[in-house]
Amino acid sequence: RMAMSALAGEGLPVAPPILVTSAYVERADTLQRQETLSHLFARHNIVGQELIALLDAAEPIDPRRVRAGQVFQFRYAMRTEHPDEVRVRLGDERILTLRRDSTTGWRGEAEEIYWSVTTQVARGQIQSSLYETIEELIPEHVLSAGERARLTWDLADGVFGWVVDFTRDNYEGDEFQIAYERLQSDLGDVRFGRILAARIETRGQENTAYVLTDANGRNVYYDTEGRSLRRAFKLYPAEFRRISSGFNRNRYHPVLKRTRPHLGVDYAAGVGTPIMATGDGTVDRAGRWGSYGIAVAIRHPKGVETRYAHMSRLASGVRAGKRVRQGQVIGYVGATGMVSGPHLHYEFIKNGRHLDPRSAVKYGEGDPIGKDQRARFEAVKAEYDRLLASRPAATQTVRAGLP
């Protein structure tokens, strides 16, 4: 009987299982300022001819263009001092994997990064500001703080940037609903995609936007009547933290210490923030310009001129006589000229007369949608209206694949 029990496994001592959690060690390393790729790879014992072979296999990477902050992931087999695999992101869409090959040394393979799309709906009431309300409304696990900021700026500039001034048109209690895309990669990255539809109350007026993709793949937003929200001029020439000084014909100048007209709007922003042309036109002046510091003046149709002052530098190729398009980067925020701190000073002049940019640019109506697109627009509008009116959760996942 004892023999039979032993054969059956009864009463036999059992050793705890040996678990191998990983046969490899992953180490991330970041290219630092004033470093080259040879410095980074030397820290991982890849030098000389082996470094040359690795860089040859890394064909999509130009060593002269890799910027500080680029992260490389090195994989080591246990108890070895040389990596057998290196991975590096090539933007949002591709990742390059370099593997040690006993025959050829190193071989590289670029793979597409797959992004899944879900549609989210956020709704609420504006409290102190739209930015702070969205920051508190959307949880961190849905979108990070940086991605929430991207969503807010896209709403203010990319969707309603021609028709709503969110710095002064909103009141506490104004309601809003936003349908947007949330993207998640197979590597676990999460980012904001685009706004699909939005409805927001400003000064008792309802503003609604629906997106359609045009023939060039660009997102175009329309109101409930099918009129484009795009106008000849955008309200904001740069992404900014706050308006530090508004249009005022009797403003006290902080540098001159006396009353002097302030014939523009000052947007406080970090040095190096891109500055964009608010409308299509031709550069009339670019470079040093007295108290403006480094500045650009652009001539537009119908007697309009816009000016952008106190830049740190001009964008490449921006010079007098150059044609520019709305949204094109023309320079970068700085503190040149007569200033007390970094900001962009922006002016709007029509027929030689300075106007308040935040009022002057909101005139006119957008172009109506083409007749050949009307049926498509009505179908999309109906779908987005159902989405915006869906159950009243603060933020929710709806579905992917909207038109």
Side-chain angles (χ1 to χ4, degrees):
R1 182 176 178 182
M2 289 180 62
M4 292 177 64
S5 296
L7 288 172
E10 294 180 10
L12 291 177
V14 179
I18 299 174
L19 300 177
V20 179
T21 57
S22 177
Y24 297 95
V25 175
E26 298 275 352
R27 298 175 188 167
D29 202 349
T30 304
L31 186 67
Q32 304 298 319
R33 291 177 61 87
Q34 308 302 319
E35 275 193 333
T36 64
L37 287 181
S38 60
H39 291 109
L40 182 141
F41 286 116
R43 290 197 289 270
H44 299 270
N45 300 309
I46 301 175
V47 295
Q49 290 300 316
E50 184 181 11
L51 175 60
I52 294 173
L54 182 143
L55 293 178
D56 284 343
E59 185 179 353
I61 297 177
D62 183 344
R64 296 168 299 179
R65 295 179 178 268
V66 179
R67 297 181 178 274
Q70 178 70 62
V71 177
F72 292 78
Q73 194 78 26
F74 295 84
R75 188 184 77 170
Y76 291 78
M78 296 294 287
R79 294 183 293 278
T80 63
E81 296 182 355
H82 291 79
D84 65 358
E85 182 178 285
V86 182
R87 290 163 65 85
V88 59
R89 291 282 292 267
L90 304 174
D92 290 332
E93 307 302 330
R94 293 192 302 160
I95 187 166
L96 175 65
T97 302
L98 300 160
R99 294 184 178 90
R100 188 188 295 275
D101 189 306
S102 58
T103 305
T104 60
W106 287 90
R107 56 186 175 85
E109 180 182 4
E111 302 171 273
E112 297 295 320
I113 298 173
Y114 173 74
W115 291 86
S116 60
V117 183
T118 57
T119 299
Q120 303 277 326
V121 177
R123 52 172 47 80
Q125 290 185 335
I126 294 176
Q127 302 305 317
S128 55
S129 72
L130 178 67
Y131 175 85
E132 292 180 3
T133 302
I134 291 177
E135 174 69 18
E136 295 177 2
L137 180 68
I138 300 178
E140 181 75 17
H141 71 270
V142 176
L143 287 178
S144 67
E147 294 302 301
R148 295 197 294 273
R150 283 189 58 223
L151 185 155
T152 306
W153 178 249
D154 192 41
L155 180 71
D157 184 68
V159 179
F160 292 115
W162 297 267
V163 294
V164 177
D165 185 348
F166 286 95
T167 64
R168 62 181 183 180
D169 286 347
N170 284 122
Y171 290 98
E172 288 196 9
D174 283 349
E175 297 185 349
F176 65 89
Q177 303 92 40
I178 308 167
Y180 64 93
E181 291 178 338
R182 176 182 183 267
L183 310 181
Q184 182 166 351
S185 77
D186 51 5
L187 301 177
D189 304 308
V190 174
R191 62 184 173 95
F192 160 69
R194 62 173 179 163
I195 291 173
L196 299 172
R199 184 174 293 126
I200 187 163
E201 183 181 356
T202 57
R203 295 179 180 264
Q205 177 180 341
E206 187 177 89
N207 304 277
T208 306
Y210 310 94
V211 71
L212 280 183
T213 305
D214 68 11
N216 297 314
R218 297 174 300 189
N219 296 322
V220 182
Y221 291 90
Y222 296 90
D223 65 14
T224 55
E225 303 301 321
R227 293 186 298 263
S228 173
L229 295 180
R230 180 180 292 272
R231 302 290 190 270
F233 293 93
K234 295 192 89 167
L235 283 162
Y236 308 130
E239 189 170 351
F240 59 97
R241 293 192 297 265
R242 62 188 176 86
I243 291 178
S244 55
S245 188
F247 186 89
N248 187 344
R249 297 190 183 276
N250 297 289
R251 176 230 195 187
Y252 181 77
H253 198 283
V255 176
L256 298 176
K257 306 299 182 184
R258 61 182 174 84
T259 299
R260 182 185 184 186
H262 188 252
L263 302 178
V265 176
D266 290 350
Y267 295 94
V271 173
T273 300
I275 298 169
M276 294 159 287
T278 55
D280 297 346
T282 302
V283 176
D284 189 51
R285 185 167 183 165
R288 289 280 176 181
W289 190 358
S291 61
Y292 282 143
I294 299 174
V296 170
I298 300 175
R299 291 196 321 273
H300 307 274
K302 299 182 179 179
V304 174
E305 177 187 349
T306 56
R307 296 178 182 175
Y308 314 75
H310 310 312
M311 296 179 176
S312 58
R313 61 186 175 93
L314 301 174
S316 176
V318 173
R319 60 185 181 277
K322 181 78 171 182
R323 287 281 301 168
V324 292
R325 306 291 295 175
Q326 185 178 80
Q328 181 178 332
V329 175
I330 57 174
Y332 301 88
V333 170
T336 57
M338 192 183 297
V339 295
S340 57
H343 68 276
L344 166 65
H345 174 79
Y346 172 62
E347 296 180 5
F348 189 95
I349 304 164
K350 184 171 177 62
N351 297 325
R353 181 169 178 263
H354 282 82
L355 303 177
D356 184 347
R358 296 198 288 165
S359 300
V361 301
K362 297 197 303 184
Y363 299 141
E365 292 187 347
D367 295 331
I369 195 166
K371 293 181 179 180
D372 59 334
Q373 293 292 310
R374 174 57 68 171
R376 178 184 171 216
F377 169 74
E378 294 297 339
V380 167
K381 174 185 170 184
E383 178 69 17
Y384 286 153
D385 280 341
R386 285 193 294 271
L387 187 57
L388 293 174
S390 56
R391 63 186 178 85
T395 179
Q396 67 188 79
T397 300
V398 182
R399 68 182 182 89
L402 285 167

